[in-house]
């Protein structure tokens, strides 16, 4: 039993929380599905009342610190145990860790310190707290302010997962200085994205851009407001949609988040690393993402340069020449068994290295000819060590995924629903871009995107709206009404025509 000021935590993913006078006491323990144990958070000191006996103590601080394990023999008398935490990797570059997908509500400033202490205990330097909504509300995980708050070594940056529809997917907006709630034009995501940008923020899509989010991406990406894509979440790295966008010449940064507490887990299990040369700030976060200076991970650390250019940079090549590529992989063998490092060029594996999972680091220096305009990135594969298998999604949730991911490939559904995928070790950098004057064409494939635009056009012109009305009986419904779709159909049809023209131009560009 914790007796000495534990850090309070919130696991409420409901709509507007209860007022203080009616709410239950804050929780102090959290079930970790990856260790199969309950954990709590302390700020330096934890005091317990225990029966005499032998106990196993495990102390964590995010993914960059070694886990301390110790057997404690407790007598009937008071006894002190001291634990020193150390990093398994000493960073020599200014990378900042963030969880871009948290639904932790704050009703008043008094909650800031406890939330920041909690995030600092997970070694998250930036916590993106997303207010969430639907056509009928904008009330889940409410943020009393959209100004950033720095406290206890962590920066709280509000954002929003709004709009969210089963027609166009779940949007993701980070770093805006105000909430944007365009309910009358809810399915016109571009209006929200433009306002978020004017408020200093950046937008894109959550949940791998899978399923209906591909409809939303197809409509909006050519307008320049889809700049981020959550490629790592729910324990799964799924990059197919992202690769398609990159191969069309769209510069979209990779991000990762946990969707905590709406799905079981812990904050920071999946995280985004952002390269910032200064103290973490909202503006620095947005700038890093806009320039593609990110990598995603659930444990491993990656370093990557091409001819000295860093992640997010562009290399201009006037003639074909070999490029010097340097890569580093670092991981904690006690938590991750990384077995493969891959160099990805325009979505295909250019080179792969087998990794000894017991060593914890690997470095390569090589030269490659990259003859075509495109992009290059690093990614890892492996498995988590000493973790329990996450419980499979219940049948009702599996059915919901299949329904929600209407139009997704079987690979998308299987990759997300397979529990074994959710205990793998992943990391993936955003690209370094290559611009070749001799070979300016990208390996673009637009057929799938045109099919989605055609489907949306048929639905809107024939007033076949039923596909967008699913789950409209749920409190969290992503469905939208027929009246709303009718009112916004002209604007969406105009966007469909503009998007189709842009995709065709990209496919046939010289």
């Amino acid at each position: 039993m914790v007796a000495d000021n534990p850090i309070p935590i919130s696991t409420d993913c409901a709509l507007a929380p209860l007022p203080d006078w009616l709410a239950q006491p804050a929780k102090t323990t959290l079930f970790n599905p990856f260790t199969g144990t309950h954990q709590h958070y302390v700020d330096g000191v934890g005091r317990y009342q225990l029966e005499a006996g032998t106990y196993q103590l495990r102390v964590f601080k995010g993914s960059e610190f070694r886990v301390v394990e110790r057997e404690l023999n407790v007598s009937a008398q008071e006894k002190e145990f001291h634990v020193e935490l150390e990093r398994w990797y000493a960073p020599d570059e200014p990378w900042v860790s963030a969880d871009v997908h948290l639904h932790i509500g704050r009703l008043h400033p008094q909650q800031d310190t406890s939330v920041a202490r909690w995030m600092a205990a997970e070694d998250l330097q930036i916590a993106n707290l997303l207010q969430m909504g639907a056509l009928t509300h904008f009330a889940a995980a409410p943020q009393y302010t959209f100004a950033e708050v720095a406290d206890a070594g962590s920066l709280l940056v509000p954002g929003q997962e709004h709009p969210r529809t089963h027609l166009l997917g779940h949007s993701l907006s980070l770093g805006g200085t105000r909430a944007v709630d365009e309910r009358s034009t809810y399915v016109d995501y571009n209006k929200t994205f433009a306002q978020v940008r004017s408020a200093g923020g950046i937008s894109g899509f959550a949940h791998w851009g899978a399923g209906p989010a591909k409809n939303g991406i197809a409509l909006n990406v050519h307008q320049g407001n889809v700049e981020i894509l959550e490629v790592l979440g729910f324990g799964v790295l799924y990059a197919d949609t992202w690769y398609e966008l990159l191969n069309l010449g769209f510069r979209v940064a990779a991000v990762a988040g946990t969707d905590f507490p709406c799905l079981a887990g812990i904050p920071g299990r999946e995280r985004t690393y952002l390269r910032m040369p200064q103290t973490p700030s909202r503006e620095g976060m947005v700038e890093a993402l806009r320039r593609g200076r990110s990598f995603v991970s659930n444990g491993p650390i990656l370093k990557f340069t091409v001819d000295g250019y860093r992640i997010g940079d562009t290399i201009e090549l006037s003639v074909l020449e070999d490029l010097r590529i340097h890569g580093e992989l670092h991981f904690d063998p006690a938590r991750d068994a990384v077995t493969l490092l891959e160099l990805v060029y325009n979505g295909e594996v250019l080179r792969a290295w087998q990794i000894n999972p017991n060593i914890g680091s690997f470095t390569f220096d090589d030269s490659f000819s990259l003859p075509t305009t495109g992009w290059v990135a690093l990614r890892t594969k492996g498995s988590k060590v000493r973790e329990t298998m996450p419980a499979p999604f219940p049948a009702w949730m599996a059915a919901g995924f299949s329904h929600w991911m209407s139009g997704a490939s079987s690979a998308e559904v299987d990759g997300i629903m397979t529990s074994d995928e959710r205990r793998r070790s992943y990391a993936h950098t955003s690209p370094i871009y290559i611009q070749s004057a001799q070979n300016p064409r990208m390996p673009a494939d637009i057929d799938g995107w045109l099919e989605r635009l055609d489907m949306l056009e048929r639905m809107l012109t024939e007033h076949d709206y039923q596909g967008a009305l699913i789950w409209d009986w749920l409190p969290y419904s992503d469905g939208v009404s027929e009246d709303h779709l009718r009112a916004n159909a002209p604007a969406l049809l105009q966007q469909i025509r503009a998007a189709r023209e842009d995709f065709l131009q990209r496919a046939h560009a010289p």
Side-chain angles (χ1 to χ4, degrees), residues 182-369:
E182 289 292 329
R183 216 78 63 80
S184 63
T185 56
Y186 197 65
V187 293
D188 188 350
Y189 286 23
N190 184 58
K191 289 188 179 298
T192 295
F193 292 165
Q195 288 201 41
V196 169
R197 178 185 278 268
S198 71
I202 190 169
S203 297
F205 283 83
H207 313 316
W208 319 281
K214 294 188 85 169
N215 300 336
I217 293 170
L219 270 182
N220 291 279
V221 68
H222 75 282
Q223 302 183 73
N225 286 325
V226 179
E227 300 182 84
I228 56 175
L229 188 65
E230 186 181 34
V231 301
L232 176 60
F234 300 178
V236 176
L237 176 71
Y238 182 79
D240 287 14
T241 301
W242 184 42
Y243 287 1
E244 289 182 37
L245 294 174
L246 295 175
N247 285 346
L248 282 163
F250 296 110
R251 299 200 172 187
V252 180
V255 297
T258 58
D259 212 341
F260 177 89
C262 297
L263 289 180
I266 58 174
R269 159 72 176 192
E270 292 90 32
R271 57 183 66 195
T272 308
Y273 284 89
L274 303 167
R275 183 178 177 84
M276 295 187 206
Q278 70 273 10
T279 302
S281 66
R282 180 190 63 82
E283 294 89 346
M285 177 195 75
V286 172
E287 177 69 9
L289 289 171
R290 186 152 285 144
R291 300 184 68 172
R293 295 176 172 173
S294 70
F295 72 88
V296 299
S297 176
N298 64 4
I301 300 292
L302 291 172
K303 294 178 64 175
F304 180 45
T305 60
V306 177
D307 263 15
Y309 289 86
R310 301 181 182 276
I311 296 168
D313 289 345
T314 299
I315 304 173
E316 303 278 353
L317 293 179
S318 57
V319 296
L320 182 62
E321 60 184 84
D322 285 348
L323 299 174
R324 300 182 306 277
I325 298 182
H326 172 83
E328 293 183 28
L329 163 68
H330 302 274
F331 59 97
D332 180 5
R335 303 175 77 174
D336 292 284
V338 179
T339 55
L340 190 66
L341 178 66
E342 295 177 322
L343 181 66
V344 182
Y345 175 50
N346 290 345
E348 302 294 332
V349 177
L350 181 64
R351 178 76 185 277
W353 294 268
Q354 297 295 322
I355 306 299
N356 184 335
N358 300 313
I359 294 179
S361 64
F362 177 80
T363 301
F364 73 86
D365 288 282
D366 215 328
S367 295
F368 296 91
S369 175

